[in-house]
Every structure is written in C-alpha cells, then in structure tokens.
Amino acid sequence: MRRCSQVGLILLGLGIICEAVRGQGNSAGLFPKTNEVAGWTLKEGPKFFNNDQLFDYMDGAAEIPKSYAFKQLGSAKYQKSTALTLEVAVFDMSKSADAFGYFSARVFLERSPRSKDREIPLDHPAHLYSSVGALTFWKDHYTVIIQPEIGRPDDATLIQFAKAVSAKIKAKGIPPTLLDRLPKEKQIVGTPRLVSGKATFDATVMFLPKDIFGLGDHPQIVGADYSLPGKSVTMFVAKYATPVRASKALNDYRAYLQTVKSAIAPGGSASRFVATSEKQHGTGAVVSGSQLGVIFGAKDSAVAEVGLKSLANKLSR
C-alpha cells in the first residue's frame, strides 16, 4: 500500500511538472538566454499569462489582443545596467493572420506624426519606434514586442533582440490574403491592418455607437489609410459569409448616414452610394458579392467617389 502511494506521488509529481511545461506553451524556447544579446542578462521570467489572465498583465488594454485568436503571453525582462532594462513580450496568437492582426493594430495605434518610426526588414517588415525605444514584429503565429522597462534601449539593441527571437521561430507565416483587395496606390506605409471585433474596429477604423457593420457576425475586415487630395482617408473591406449579409451592411450604413442628416449623392444604386457626412465627411460604400468596401474621411463626395471607384475595381477582380 505504501509503495502504491509512493508511485502515486511520483506520478502526481510528474503530472504537475508536465502541466507546468504545458502552461508555458510553445513560446518558452523563444526567449534569448543571458548574453545571447551581448551584455544583456536575463533578469526575470519568462512568465506566462493565459487568456483569462491577460488583464492581469495589460489592465484595460487586453480587449484588442483578446479580440484576435489570443492564446498565451510570455514575458521576460533583460538588464544591461541598473539604468537600462527591457522587456520581451511574445504573444501567441494561434494563427498567423491573427499575429499579423494584433501587430497591425498596435503599429497603427502607436503611429504619430511626431514619432520617429521606421520599418526594419526582418522576415516581415517590423516597426521600430526610436523615440520610445520599442520594436514590434510578427512571425508565424507570434506577435513580439520589445520595449523599455527602465531607460531607453538603442536601435541596434532592439534589432539584435528581434533577430534573436525571430531566428527561433521556424515558420514564417503569411498575412491575410484579403489585404490584396485594398488599393495599393496612395496607401500610407504602416497603416494596413486586419481588424477583429468591435473594440478593435472602434479603435483602429471608425467609432460607431451601434454595430452598423454586423461585427457580431465576425466578418473578416482589413483597412488602410490613403493620401488623397485634401486629406488622408480610410478605406476598409469586410468579407461576409453571404452576399445578402454584405448588402445588409451597406444598407444599414446608408440608413445610419441618413439618420445623422448626411447628404446622399444622386446616382447611387442598391449596391453603391456616396455621401457627405459631418463625421465621416466624404464617404461611400460598394458591394461586390460577399464583400463590402467603404471609404470615409475624404474631403468631399467627389474625392470619395474617386477612392470608391478604385476600391470597387479591386473587389471585382
């Protein structure tokens, strides 16, 4: 009996060990060791946060990564001196499209006319924010953020850490193919983004008091900003399960614009319209099959019509 109990304890111990390893997920081996980046010591971690623990790490900012297929976050801190510490945060997003999505949302939200940011050529273009000492990239199903904890690491250090982590991720992953439906001409660098859920849509595309575009049905949405005459504008494409659902979203948007006293331009149809709105300025929408294309923020309806035409051409291919 005693021997059976000892075996049971051993098996229980192994189970606890296995559960701890399982809790670390696949990202445990992605963190650089001490001096893998010369002069930097692993100070803390990595620590892991599962889906229901993400708010413990990010407070109110967890809604956006959770709107994608977030699985687990791993975080480790590295120190070069008492005045210089950085964090490597690895978000396991389950799928490469969602890794790109969270990457693209962060990059868009952190953009500023005053920030010094540039693209770094890793496996996919990474974004380096020199002014704050942060670098964000994605690869396979991981979104990786290297950011300051104390002080501000220089660009070379951030790139070395990014390359060290990236080298441990074997698969490359591909961005969402729906991005090909967005016009490339006049597109602003760093603005293409995959949108998931209303919280992300409100933060990175357009804030609306109601779910006008049927985000509860989980359409795939991509958007980007463009330099058109007069000001920058936003275009996005939503792919629905059926053409009927896409048409409903167009009609709901048109009805919403009418309730806020927008001027609908003459010559529209059941599948296309442009308008002038106080909030959305020059705006319009077009349906092609199960896809809805929307432009807003243009100087006027004439500029919106030009942008909508280029969007319609991409959707019809």
Side-chain angles (χ1 to χ4, degrees):
M1 186 70 177
R2 181 179 299 173
R3 183 176 181 182
C4 291
S5 299
Q6 289 174 342
V7 171
L9 288 172
I10 292 170
L11 292 175
L12 176 61
L14 288 174
I16 293 171
I17 293 170
C18 290
E19 191 62 39
V21 172
R22 190 180 300 116
Q24 294 179 1
N26 295 328
S27 62
L30 302 183
F31 293 91
K33 298 178 175 61
T34 292
N35 278 326
E36 193 168 333
V37 175
W40 287 84
T41 300
L42 178 60
K43 177 188 176 185
E44 182 181 309
K47 296 179 179 178
F48 296 91
F49 302 82
N50 294 322
N51 192 294
D52 58 350
Q53 300 169 318
L54 191 57
F55 282 102
D56 297 336
Y57 172 83
M58 300 184 71
D59 295 326
E63 285 292 347
I64 290 180
K66 284 174 71 70
S67 70
Y68 296 95
F70 170 77
K71 182 179 180 182
Q72 188 182 69
L73 163 68
S75 169
K77 295 179 181 178
Y78 297 83
Q79 187 176 61
K80 189 170 187 179
S81 68
T82 55
L84 195 55
T85 304
L86 62 76
E87 178 192 25
V88 175
V90 178
F91 289 78
D92 185 342
M93 306 302 290
S94 298
K95 299 182 294 185
S96 63
D98 289 276
F100 169 83
Y102 183 43
F103 161 82
S104 66
R106 282 193 63 100
V107 166
F108 178 78
L109 291 171
E110 291 175 353
R111 290 178 68 251
S112 166
R114 296 183 299 275
S115 67
K116 297 179 180 178
D117 59 293
R118 59 191 176 99
E119 286 195 342
I120 301 297
L122 298 179
D123 291 273
H124 304 286
H127 273 79
L128 174 64
Y129 301 92
S130 297
S131 57
V132 297
L135 188 151
T136 305
F137 75 92
W138 76 280
K139 186 177 178 183
D140 192 21
H141 52 90
Y142 299 104
T143 304
V144 181
I145 303 165
I146 303 162
Q147 57 192 355
E149 178 78 11
I150 300 173
R152 183 174 66 83
D154 59 34
D155 292 357
T157 295
L158 294 169
I159 294 170
Q160 287 178 58
F161 267 98
K163 288 182 176 179
V165 176
S166 181
K168 299 174 189 294
I169 304 172
K170 301 308 178 185
K172 183 177 179 180
I174 58 173
T177 57
L178 193 62
L179 287 169
D180 295 335
R181 297 300 185 185
L182 291 170
K184 295 296 188 289
E185 187 178 3
K186 307 290 186 180
Q187 192 179 97
I188 299 174
V189 174
T191 65
R193 50 206 185 268
L194 172 70
V195 181
S196 179
K198 193 172 189 305
T200 307
F201 186 87
D202 288 346
T204 66
V205 181
M206 177 196 303
F207 177 79
L208 293 170
K210 296 181 180 180
D211 186 8
I212 302 298
F213 294 107
L215 301 177
D217 292 338
H218 306 291
Q220 187 180 23
I221 299 176
V222 294
D225 290 357
Y226 293 81
S227 295
L228 295 186
K231 58 187 302 185
S232 65
V233 307
T234 299
M235 299 187 204
F236 71 87
V237 173
K239 186 176 181 180
Y240 295 88
T242 65
V244 171
R245 191 62 195 85
S247 295
K248 182 181 186 306
L250 180 142
N251 291 330
D252 287 349
Y253 184 47
R254 177 159 39 197
Y256 163 75
L257 291 173
Q258 290 171 330
T259 64
V260 293
K261 300 180 180 180
S262 305
I264 307 296
S269 67
S271 62
R272 180 188 180 118
F273 74 88
V274 293
T276 303
S277 164
E278 181 179 348
K279 288 187 176 182
Q280 277 72 43
H281 304 286
T283 185
V286 60
V287 163
S288 178
S290 60
Q291 300 170 113
L292 170 72
V294 176
I295 181 172
F296 68 92
K299 182 178 69 172
D300 50 37
S301 60
V303 175
E305 177 63 45
V306 173
L308 194 65
K309 182 178 181 180
S310 67
L311 190 54
N313 288 339
K314 294 289 287 187
L315 294 183
S316 64
R317 293 178 183 174

